[in-house]
Amino acid sequence: MGLALTGIVEPAALAQTTLTVWMEAPAQVQAGESFEVDVFLRGETDLFDDSPEVSGFNSFALSPTATGLGQAVVNMETTRDAEMSPWGLLDAGTYDPTTSALLDVTGFQGIPDTFPLTFWEPGNPIRGFSFRVDLVAGLTGELEIQTLDPFMWFSAIGQGFGGVTSDDPGVTLDLQPLTVQIIPTPAAPAIGLALLVGGTRRRRSGH
């Protein structure tokens, strides 16, 4: 990733750091419908204070990818900005139909204690962004979405250009996949039409 920077701490100490990405969405959706996914980021470390009042993510770049039943996805599109002030999303990402991925959604909010980017606000965990998934009609099964090849820079007030990144050796990445069950569209309208046709035929035969 082009945003990659290296932390100032020793690699051995980075084993105490875990950067987590998880997603939330409805457990079930109907084929042919759309649904929204919220992406969250959390940092945990013993290297500095990782409380919500002090720590936060300077930047991230993530590519949500449908790794299971990807052929069910027609499009992905970012719908909500990052909870990062003052910049938010620098890039809303681009959907690649060949890989069923929303590529390089990028968020940035500056560097703590570093002029002129003095508006950095802590927050941990944060909702990184939200995106919409559009599904094809008629295809059902288990859809899995993962965040592949991520970059995250986690820091805290007082760290300046320090902190840790997902590219640093020894950092543990906890990339939790999302599973959504795609179910068939209810057949009630078709049944109702059959009953209507049957009733019409019975009325005609009674004349």
Side-chain angles (χ1 to χ4, degrees):
M1 292 288 180
L3 290 173
L5 296 172
T6 302
I8 60 175
V9 295
E10 292 297 324
L14 292 173
Q16 307 170 68
T17 299
T18 300
L19 302 180
T20 301
V21 179
W22 79 95
M23 294 171 280
E24 297 181 0
Q28 289 186 339
V29 295
Q30 294 180 10
E33 299 294 324
S34 300
F35 65 96
E36 190 166 276
V37 179
D38 295 318
V39 182
F40 296 90
L41 295 82
R42 179 176 62 240
E44 298 170 285
T45 185
D46 293 334
L47 304 175
F48 48 80
D49 187 352
D50 61 8
S51 67
E53 297 80 14
V54 174
S55 64
F57 286 87
N58 299 0
S59 59
F60 66 82
L62 302 173
S63 298
T65 305
T67 55
L69 204 66
Q71 65 271 31
V73 177
V74 177
N75 188 40
M76 294 181 182
E77 184 175 336
T78 301
T79 55
R80 295 177 65 186
D81 205 344
E83 291 180 342
M84 305 174 79
S85 176
W87 307 102
L89 288 182
L90 296 184
D91 192 331
T94 302
Y95 180 66
D96 178 13
T98 62
T99 58
S100 300
L102 184 59
L103 298 176
D104 297 329
V105 181
T106 306
F108 177 74
Q109 71 166 343
I111 301 168
D113 318 314
T114 305
F115 181 82
L117 304 175
T118 57
F119 301 102
W120 189 89
E121 293 183 2
N124 181 39
I126 64 166
R127 180 183 54 77
F129 60 98
S130 300
F131 64 96
R132 189 188 72 247
V133 179
D134 301 328
L135 301 173
V136 299
L139 188 58
T140 61
E142 189 173 88
L143 173 67
E144 183 177 85
I145 299 177
Q146 299 189 47
T147 50
L148 301 181
D149 192 27
F151 171 77
M152 293 173 280
W153 180 9
F154 182 63
S155 191
I157 294 174
Q159 292 293 307
F161 278 93
V164 294
T165 81
S166 52
D167 289 344
D168 287 323
V171 171
T172 300
L173 298 182
D174 182 12
L175 307 176
Q176 301 176 12
L178 171 71
T179 300
V180 176
Q181 195 69 32
I182 304 175
I183 60 176
T185 303
I191 295 174
L193 178 60
L195 291 175
L196 176 61
V197 172
T200 301
R201 288 176 177 171
R202 284 193 297 270
R203 284 196 298 270
R204 287 178 177 173
S205 61
H207 285 298

